[in-house]
């Protein structure tokens, strides 16, 4: 892991995907001690893949099909301005 960069870059997790108990992502690092909240991946390709998988799930499981819908789910207003 590199230092001095934004959190998502350091974690190879540009989507800042939260860790969820019982969920194991492909490419997830065995060592998750580098961040208390977000998943740490072994390479950026795995973080990008995880973003794609989440967006597909948002569409398939939650029926989202607009940019506004995806953003509202990804970054709810209760957590973000």
């Amino acid at each position: 892991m590199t230092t001095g960069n934004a959190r998502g870059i350091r974690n190879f997790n540009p989507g800042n995907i939260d860790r969820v108990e019982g969920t194991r992502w492909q490419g997830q690092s065995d060592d998750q001690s580098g961040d208390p909240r977000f998943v740490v991946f072994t390479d950026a390709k795995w973080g990008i893949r995880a973003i794609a998988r989440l967006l597909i799930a948002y569409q398939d499981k939650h029926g989202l099909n607009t940019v506004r819908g995806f953003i509202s789910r990804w970054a709810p207003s209760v957590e973000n301005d």
Side-chain angles (χ1 to χ4, degrees), residues 28-56:
Q28 182 175 327
S29 175
D30 290 335
D31 180 5
Q32 292 292 303
S33 65
D35 195 296
R37 178 177 175 184
F38 298 113
V39 178
V40 178
F41 291 98
T42 58
D43 190 89
K45 68 181 178 186
W46 299 116
I48 293 167
R49 178 189 182 277
I51 291 170
R53 299 287 299 171
L54 275 178
L55 292 175
I56 291 167

Side-chain angles (χ1 to χ4, degrees), residues 2 10 12 15-16 20 28 30 48-49 57 64-68 73 76 81:
T2 61
R10 288 193 312 268
F12 298 118
N16 286 327
V20 176
Q28 182 175 327
D30 290 335
I48 293 167
R49 178 189 182 277
L64 300 177
N65 59 8
T66 65
V67 172
R68 181 181 301 275
R73 176 128 185 122
D81 292 333

